[in-house]
Amino acid sequence: EVQLVESGGGLVQPGRSLRLSCTGSGFTFGGSAITWFRQAPGKGLEWVGFIGSEAYGGTIQYAASVQGRFTISRDDSKSIAHLQMSSLKTEDTAVYYCSRGSGWCDYWGHGTLVTVSS
Amino acid sequence: EIVLTQSPGTLSLSPGERATLSCRASQSVSSSYLAWYQQKPGQAPRLLIYEASTRATGIPDRFSGGGSGTDFTLTVSRLEPEDFAVYYCQHYGSSTRAFGQGTKVEIK
């Protein structure tokens, strides 16, 4: 069974950093792109960025709203991807999801809540 | 930047009825890069349709997608109780991805 599990969310003050993790199982993690999305409370879905598989050069792309502040990485030996978030703003408050794929995404984690507040 | 506009914002229907959801792009997009997702409260989105008209694994055939250019449609032929949810369209381009604002399908 394909599973993706996010972790690392929590309450953080504006300007601080936080790292989210996404652990995959039940599929060839190293052969899959991983995409991060977020959803602010009561709002719609927003693409954050993705990291391609190493076989496709490990391409990384970010949404303009997080470019320069967020960094996506992966460790295929551990079937884990990370979303390093820095210089956090209150508007980054959201549930963060990781998913499999780079375009359409067929499996999603349950999400982890990040609250940016003083 | 491609903007996706979904309509209507809310669709009030009864079980057994047909639901037709619209997604309009601000410029022509390839059908290969259009997907639809369903999201229920407190749950992650679920992929329904990709490449505009291909059902994802395990998706019932009452769900169908179509369209091209700037106008795309998701149709649920006969609504089941579990189909009442929010639906999002998504475009996946070469350097960005965009979602529509969502259509809520609620029980009338």
Side-chain angles (χ1 to χ4, degrees), chain A residues 15-111:
Chain A
R16 303 298 291 266
S17 299
L18 195 66
R19 188 177 81 161
L20 306 183
S21 298
C22 170
T23 304
S25 60
F27 66 103
T28 304
F29 189 88
S32 300
I34 298 295
T35 296
W36 288 92
F37 296 95
R38 67 183 180 183
Q39 187 169 35
K43 303 297 183 182
L45 296 167
E46 181 186 10
W47 174 70
V48 173
F50 83 91
I51 183 165
S53 66
E54 289 301 322
Y56 287 88
T59 300
I60 303 174
Q61 292 183 346
Y62 301 98
S65 58
V66 306
Q67 179 80 47
R69 299 189 299 123
F70 289 12
T71 301
I72 299 173
S73 62
R74 63 190 299 157
D75 183 346
D76 292 339
S77 69
K78 298 178 181 178
S79 296
I80 194 165
H82 297 290
L83 177 64
Q84 177 70 46
M85 305 183 292
S86 60
S87 303
L88 283 162
K89 307 175 182 180
T90 55
E91 53 263 40
D92 294 319
T93 293
V95 174
Y96 284 74
Y97 297 99
C98 67
S99 60
R100 186 179 76 167
S102 60
W104 45 268
C105 297
D106 57 357
Y107 289 93
W108 294 57
H110 55 82

